Amino acid sequence: MLKARADLLQSTDSELASILNAFNGGYITAGPGGDPILNPATVPTGKNLYGIDPERTPSKESYAVGKQLAEELIQSKLRSSGKYPEKVAFSLWGGEFIRTQGVNVAQIFYLLGVEPVWDSRGRVQDVRLIPMSELKRPRIDVVIQTSGQFRSAAASRMKLIDKAVMLAATDPDGEFGNYVRSNSQEITRVLIAQGMSPYDAKQLANARIFGGVNGNFGTGAMGMAQATGQWEDSGEIAELYLNNMGAIYTEGHWGEHNPEMFKAAIRNTDTVVQSRSSNSWGPLSLDHVHEFTGGLNLVSRHVNGGKDPEAFFNDLRTPGAAKIQSAREAAMVEAHSTVLNPKYISEMMQEGAAATGHFQEVFRNTLGWEIMKPDMLEDHLWQQYKDVYVDDKHHLGVKTFFEQNNPAALQDMTGVMLEAIRKDFWQADEQTTRQIVDLHVKITLKHDLPPTDNPKLQAMIQKYLSDPELRKSFEQQVQKAAEARKAADKIKATAEVNGMQLKAQTPDRPEPGDTVMALKVIGAIIAAALSAIITGNIIRRRKRK
């Protein structure tokens, strides 16, 4: 522990020394990247970081951990439902793959009932079926959503997963059953019913890996989800996710766009899993968690008639103590240890304006989870947010802190709470709603902030404003903001028209006179800058005198 602390403290000096050494053309020592708690060898930093050799994943140690997590997941499902999971959806990230040496890949293999084949050098270039006599349970189906980083770092592992699915799907049902095979048969029937030829349907029925279209890295769904005033049915977000993440990765069809195939493959999904090996983020503090894993949950619910799958995290943050954790537990533990923890809040407040964005992000991500997985969080979390950030139950001066550092952040946080109420994610009573509305409007007016551009939320705010003068002032602020947006749009449209005209009038190659004029303009700018610097120096000298 003492050594780890010393190495961490040394990191700043090591970073600066390495930067200077690099500028001088010196050699930078190689070292691993990642979480310093999970891997103490990452500090002191200042090294030339390396990631991973994907061909050696999953390592034998990682396979053992993945097998353990698969067994824990199965047991958790048996306890909660009395049934084996039929299909497990995974969101695979490049960073998690690198930090864990392929634990998620190993977990997928074991659920399918296959195992890696290691060569004498520790490389995994093949997989083989685990006999049913040894497995003693059904082969459990999977569907994979790959991030762009995982696709870039682990394409060879994706091909192994694809082969593992093929092996499992072609194995006879046997004594314990085979969900991979039965789901592939169902997918074949669905695709044929949609008009696909029996041959093509059979070729695609075992596809289980999907990712961003045209090599994209994001889902595109988060922006739509955050624009809560522009949709009422979350199924619209699910359809966008299906389309944007509908590139197939299977033999013979690598990277082809087919969202209907993604929709067919995610049928019967009853479980969603996300790996978490870093101590630097959690389900509430990082928006990509609800974007990818939450989005996968939303798509599953959308395709499977409104039935929400169970969601879990592979908790790999503590070496030697890997475990399965429900998504609800993970979110609530993070909330109580951070944004609801008075010690954490007071320490964050020492950071000033930089901290306000973090609290704002957590509120937005909480609403994101409500959209993607409404059964994950309870009303009492929103009530606790209100107790801490509206009522200031810990007497930390939270309202004053935000008003002094970033009033727009508190305006946004109260707006998020109100939107959670408007969307029926939080069943708040009328008194609570009016209290939050009152604070939201007072901050908006006091700091002359633009009101929300969500007309439905504006209407709700006006409805719950009990003070007539406050309502009148807020309506005036809304009108002023609308006029400002209209003026800005007019300026933008004029600029676009002028830009098009200028482009049409501009020759492909500049005339000599144009070049001379450009040089004159540049010279004038440089002269003005030098004049400002000289004037500033004179003023400072006079002040010192």
Side-chain angles (χ1 to χ4, degrees), residues 222-288:
M222 186 163 62
M224 183 178 181
Q226 290 178 346
T228 49
Q230 298 179 15
W231 55 268
E232 291 302 325
D233 182 0
S234 61
E236 298 175 46
I237 305 171
E239 287 294 334
L240 180 68
Y241 189 105
L242 283 163
N243 181 71
N244 291 352
M245 299 301 287
I248 311 173
Y249 293 92
T250 190
E251 185 179 358
H253 301 273
W254 202 259
E256 291 181 9
H257 184 216
N258 192 334
E260 289 302 316
M261 185 63 236
F262 189 11
K263 186 181 290 189
I266 208 165
R267 291 167 64 93
N268 301 322
T269 296
D270 54 25
T271 311
V272 176
V273 174
Q274 162 81 52
S275 181
R276 181 188 180 196
S277 62
S278 173
N279 290 276
S280 63
W281 62 266
L284 297 180
S285 55
L286 183 63
D287 53 9
H288 293 309

Side-chain angles (χ1 to χ4, degrees), residues 366-411:
T366 303
L367 183 59
W369 275 112
E370 294 282 26
I371 294 164
M372 302 300 192
K373 189 170 179 58
D375 73 341
M376 183 171 128
L377 302 172
E378 301 287 348
D379 273 7
H380 66 78
L381 178 58
W382 289 109
Q383 183 62 45
Q384 288 171 313
Y385 283 170
K386 185 255 184 185
D387 292 343
V388 172
Y389 293 92
V390 175
D391 299 334
D392 196 14
K393 66 176 286 188
H394 298 304
H395 308 292
L396 298 173
V398 174
K399 181 171 173 287
T400 302
F401 164 75
F402 276 97
E403 290 205 84
Q404 291 177 347
N405 289 278
N406 186 1
L410 186 57
Q411 180 206 35

Side-chain angles (χ1 to χ4, degrees), residues 97-163:
F97 169 68
I98 291 169
R99 280 191 293 269
T100 66
Q101 301 290 304
V103 164
N104 260 19
V105 176
Q107 187 180 20
I108 290 166
F109 285 165
Y110 190 69
L111 288 172
L112 290 168
V114 304
E115 61 185 0
V117 178
W118 292 277
D119 66 15
S120 59
R121 298 179 62 186
R123 295 174 302 188
V124 181
Q125 297 179 328
D126 203 358
V127 290
R128 63 187 170 210
L129 283 172
I130 300 172
M132 277 294 194
S133 58
E134 180 183 337
L135 195 62
K136 295 182 179 178
R137 60 160 174 81
R139 297 194 188 278
I140 295 166
D141 202 1
V142 298
V143 61
I144 313 299
Q145 171 262 296
T146 171
S147 71
Q149 289 181 333
F150 182 82
R151 181 185 60 221
S152 299
S156 66
R157 304 306 89 180
M158 290 165 62
K159 290 181 179 180
L160 279 184
I161 294 172
D162 186 50
K163 182 176 181 180

Side-chain angles (χ1 to χ4, degrees), residues 42-216:
T42 60
V43 291
T45 56
K47 303 183 185 77
N48 185 10
L49 301 182
Y50 57 80
I52 194 172
D53 179 359
E55 306 309 309
R56 298 178 185 274
T57 61
S59 64
K60 291 184 178 181
E61 294 80 7
S62 295
Y63 181 71
V65 175
K67 181 178 177 180
Q68 171 206 326
L69 290 171
E71 291 285 11
E72 285 189 22
L73 180 66
I74 291 168
Q75 292 304 315
S76 178
K77 292 290 291 184
L78 286 171
R79 286 193 298 271
S80 64
S81 66
K83 300 177 181 178
Y84 284 96
E86 181 173 342
K87 184 180 288 186
V88 183
F90 285 85
S91 178
L92 297 186
W93 292 7
E96 292 298 309
F97 169 68
I98 291 169
R99 280 191 293 269
T100 66
Q101 301 290 304
V103 164
N104 260 19
V105 176
Q107 187 180 20
I108 290 166
F109 285 165
Y110 190 69
L111 288 172
L112 290 168
V114 304
E115 61 185 0
V117 178
W118 292 277
D119 66 15
S120 59
R121 298 179 62 186
R123 295 174 302 188
V124 181
Q125 297 179 328
D126 203 358
V127 290
R128 63 187 170 210
L129 283 172
I130 300 172
M132 277 294 194
S133 58
E134 180 183 337
L135 195 62
K136 295 182 179 178
R137 60 160 174 81
R139 297 194 188 278
I140 295 166
D141 202 1
V142 298
V143 61
I144 313 299
Q145 171 262 296
T146 171
S147 71
Q149 289 181 333
F150 182 82
R151 181 185 60 221
S152 299
S156 66
R157 304 306 89 180
M158 290 165 62
K159 290 181 179 180
L160 279 184
I161 294 172
D162 186 50
K163 182 176 181 180
V165 173
M166 299 286 183
L167 287 175
T170 53
D171 189 51
D173 289 351
E175 180 183 353
F176 298 97
N178 185 341
Y179 297 141
V180 189
R181 181 183 177 87
S182 60
N183 279 322
S184 289
Q185 291 170 343
E186 181 178 346
I187 291 169
T188 302
R189 291 191 293 270
V190 169
L191 295 177
I192 292 172
Q194 292 174 352
M196 188 178 289
S197 72
Y199 176 81
D200 288 339
K202 192 171 182 180
Q203 289 293 308
L204 286 172
N206 294 330
R208 296 291 192 277
I209 307 174
F210 300 86
V213 178
N214 298 325
N216 291 341

Side-chain angles (χ1 to χ4, degrees), residues 17-29:
S18 292
I19 290 172
L20 293 174
N21 188 25
F23 285 155
N24 289 325
Y27 172 74
I28 307 297
T29 305

